[in-house]
Amino acid sequence: METIIKTTLIGLFFGTFGTTLGGIIGVRLKKSSNKFLSFILSFASGLMTAIICFELVPEAMEIASLPMVILGMLLGIIMMIICEIFVDNLFQKREKAVNIKVKKSKESDKGIQKRNLLKTGMIVSIGLAIHNFPEGLAIGSGFEASLKLGLSLAIAICFHDIPEGISMAVPMKNGGMKPSKVIYYVVLSGITTGVGALFGALVGGISQDIIAICLAFAAGAMIYIVSGELTPESNKLYQGRMSAIGNILGFIIGVFAMNV
């Protein structure tokens, strides 16, 4: 029980610390360009790719069979698709309601732009809260596999949460939200890492196959986030070299963090 509590607290600390630090940086930034935001998102994408390729999948392959690992990855991908559909439907309903009010009140272009930025920030925060759970799952099940794996995953995920905290805070702040409220939502999104770590520690103690499935599940969820969200959004924001540079730097730092 003591080990499970420690694992949960470690996941909670590293998850909330990374996103909160990113959120503070985001609200302190006076001006942010699409070029900068693209760099931040691609950096997070490269970091997550390194975690997937050099930690999660290899560790899962060492302790379980290939079909078991593939099953875990598919479950992670399916979960993220379901979550994405749910979030999209939720905001589509809200958008319809807001559009009716906008037509009645004849909201100014500046007001509409602020509202859209705020909506973007909220979508990012919900997405981060959802995907922080499999990150915590990776930390919890990682500690069940080995102390080194758990710590290296926690550190790497903390690094990767910083740019994500920035990508959440900047649109919220530019959308007119108070800095204190922005930080509040950023912290909330990081708490799910601790919940995931608790769940990973609980189920990871059942058997080696369960640990492998948890690690592969987290890898699958991260693969979908990288390929379906971070990379496309980064390319939409900016089409120049900064996206590629951010991705490469994130990957290199991720490899370094995995081998500290």
Side-chain angles (χ1 to χ4, degrees):
M1 187 54 135
E2 187 179 343
T3 304
I4 292 173
I5 293 172
K6 284 181 180 178
T7 301
T8 304
L9 291 175
I10 289 171
L12 184 63
F13 171 77
F14 281 101
T16 54
F17 181 79
T19 50
T20 303
L21 182 59
I24 292 170
I25 294 170
V27 297
R28 297 286 293 175
L29 287 173
K30 292 184 179 178
K31 190 177 180 182
S32 56
S33 63
N34 284 350
K35 187 176 181 180
F36 174 75
L37 284 175
S38 175
F39 174 83
I40 290 297
L41 291 177
S42 59
F43 180 88
S45 176
L47 201 52
M48 289 182 78
T49 303
I51 294 170
I52 294 163
C53 294
F54 296 103
E55 282 293 344
L56 295 179
V57 173
E59 190 67 30
M61 290 288 291
E62 278 187 17
I63 58 179
S65 62
L66 179 60
M68 196 72 71
V69 174
I70 292 174
L71 173 64
M73 292 175 71
L74 287 174
L75 289 173
I77 292 167
I78 291 168
M79 188 209 74
M80 288 310 302
I81 291 173
I82 292 171
C83 288
E84 187 179 48
I85 292 170
F86 173 76
V87 171
D88 285 344
N89 288 338
L90 179 67
F91 274 91
Q92 277 175 10
K93 288 178 183 178
R94 289 188 179 182
E95 186 67 18
K96 286 179 183 178
V98 171
N99 283 339
I100 293 171
K101 290 180 182 178
V102 168
K103 286 178 182 178
K104 288 181 179 179
S105 63
K106 296 181 181 179
E107 188 177 1
S108 66
D109 289 341
K110 190 174 180 181
I112 293 171
Q113 186 180 25
K114 276 194 169 187
R115 177 172 54 80
N116 288 338
L117 280 170
L118 188 58
K119 177 192 156 191
T120 299
M122 292 302 294
I123 290 174
V124 172
S125 68
I126 291 172
L128 287 179
I130 291 169
H131 106 258
N132 279 342
F133 178 80
E135 287 184 353
L137 191 66
I139 293 171
S141 53
F143 271 110
E144 287 298 315
S146 71
L147 180 62
K148 180 180 179 295
L149 176 62
L151 282 174
S152 60
L153 281 172
I155 293 168
I157 287 170
C158 181
F159 271 117
H160 132 263
D161 281 345
I162 295 172
E164 289 193 346
I166 296 172
S167 67
M168 184 199 310
V170 169
M172 280 184 175
K173 187 197 74 170
N174 291 346
M177 186 178 284
K178 292 180 180 179
S180 58
K181 202 169 183 180
V182 171
I183 298 300
Y184 170 73
Y185 281 117
V186 168
V187 172
L188 277 184
S189 72
I191 289 174
T192 51
T193 310
V195 178
L198 171 63
F199 188 78
L202 287 172
V203 300
I206 297 172
S207 72
Q208 291 290 302
D209 284 343
I210 295 295
I211 294 173
I213 289 176
C214 287
L215 292 172
F217 181 92
M222 289 184 185
I223 286 169
Y224 187 81
I225 291 163
V226 168
S227 60
E229 296 181 24
L230 293 178
T231 301
E233 191 61 32
S234 173
N235 291 332
K236 278 182 193 176
L237 288 168
Y238 186 71
Q239 303 266 333
R241 288 193 186 93
M242 286 306 291
S243 297
I245 292 170
N247 201 283
I248 292 165
L249 282 175
F251 187 83
I252 291 171
I253 290 174
V255 172
F256 175 77
M258 291 291 100
N259 291 280
V260 171

